[in-house]
Amino acid sequence: MKQARISGPRAAMAALCVSGLLAGLGSWLYLDSREEPDLCRQLLQHERVSTALGPGHQPDLKCGDLGRAIEHATTGARHEQRSLPQAQAMKDVLVAVGDVIEDEPATLDRPLADSVAKALAGHARDMYAILVPGDTEYVRRALPSQGAWEDSEGAHMSVSHDALIRVLVSLSVSPEAYATLREAVTHEVAQAFAAAPRTTSEKKLSPYPSITAWALGSMDAVAHAARDGMGEDERASWEEKVRTRLSSRAPATAVPSFEKDPVDHLVASWKRALPPD
C-alpha cells in the first residue's frame, strides 16, 4: 500500500495554517486572560446594578472601579445616616450579586469584594437584623420585589438570610473583606449589649447571649465556608491577615470605661483579647 505524501508546497501551506491557528489561539488566550473576571462583567450587565449606580454606571468599568462606584452609591462620600436611595442601592447590589453567584458562593475579584464589604458594613444595622432572627419587618421585606423603607430610625433594606450568607461567603474569600464585615457585626452586637437593662434579673438578660450566638456564630460559619477549599498555607495566610487587620484597629491608649462609652469599651476589650499569632 502506498503511503500518501504531501508535496513541498502543500506541506509548507499546512505548516503555515497550523502555525497560524496556534498563534491565533495563543493571542486569544492572552487577551482573554487580560479581560475582567466574568462576575464583574455579569454584575455590570445586571439591571439592578445599573439602577443602583445611576449616572455612575459605565459598561466598561474595571472591577476595582465598579467596587468604588458601588461603595459611593450605597454610602456616599461621608459616613452619615443612610438615605432611602442608598438603602435601595445596597439592596439592588446584594440581589444582583446573589443572582450572579446563584446557588453557591463564588469568589469575587478582591478589589470588588473589599469595596462591596465596605459598602455593606455601612449598612451594618440591616446586616445584623437579617442575621439575628426576630424582626418580622426584615423578614417581610426580604423578597427582591420589596423595596427599601423608612421609619423613625432611618432607612432600611432587607434580603433573605440565606441570600445574605451566600454573599458574605463570596466576599469573605478576601481576608480584608471578612475583617471589615466581622468588625461591623461585632460593633452591632456590642451596641445591643450596651442597651441591655442594668439588672441582675436572669429572665431580663436571657435574650442577650443568643445575640452573640446568632450574629457572631453566623460570621464564624461564614469564615469557615470562605476558607473551604483553600490549601493549608492559603488558609493560614487568610487567618493571619484577618487577625492582623482586626488587632491593628485596637486602641493604643487605655480602653474607655463602660460608663463613658459602653460600645467602644466592649469592642476594644474584645480586640485586645485577640491572640497575637
Side-chain angles (χ1 to χ4, degrees), residues 102-213:
E102 297 180 337
D103 294 331
E104 295 294 333
T107 302
L108 298 178
D109 183 85
R110 288 284 176 89
L112 175 61
D114 292 348
S115 288
V116 175
K118 289 179 183 177
L120 187 52
H123 297 262
R125 167 54 56 177
D126 296 327
M127 182 167 52
Y128 168 83
I130 296 168
L131 291 176
V132 179
D135 194 316
T136 57
E137 192 69 6
Y138 276 87
V139 175
R140 189 173 72 84
R141 306 260 193 173
L143 290 174
S145 59
Q146 293 290 318
W149 73 100
E150 281 185 300
D151 58 22
S152 60
E153 296 181 353
H156 311 276
M157 66 85 203
S158 181
V159 295
S160 74
H161 178 272
D162 289 349
L164 178 63
I165 291 293
R166 286 198 303 273
V167 172
L168 291 178
V169 172
S170 293
L171 297 176
S172 296
V173 174
S174 163
E176 179 72 18
Y178 178 76
T180 297
L181 296 165
R182 178 81 186 211
E183 196 168 40
V185 173
T186 300
H187 191 270
E188 291 301 317
V189 170
Q191 283 194 319
F193 271 106
R198 301 294 185 90
T199 178
T200 58
S201 170
E202 185 175 333
K203 182 178 180 180
K204 290 183 178 180
L205 294 175
S206 61
Y208 291 91
S210 64
I211 292 173
T212 301

Side-chain angles (χ1 to χ4, degrees), residues 61-116:
L61 286 175
K62 301 297 184 184
C63 267
D65 294 331
L66 173 59
R68 285 185 287 274
I70 288 173
E71 190 176 351
H72 179 75
T74 57
T75 61
R78 291 184 292 180
H79 292 279
E80 63 234 7
Q81 190 176 35
R82 304 299 169 229
S83 67
L84 185 61
Q86 288 170 340
Q88 182 60 51
M90 189 73 256
K91 172 157 186 165
D92 285 338
V93 168
L94 291 179
V95 172
V97 173
D99 288 347
V100 167
I101 65 177
E102 297 180 337
D103 294 331
E104 295 294 333
T107 302
L108 298 178
D109 183 85
R110 288 284 176 89
L112 175 61
D114 292 348
S115 288
V116 175

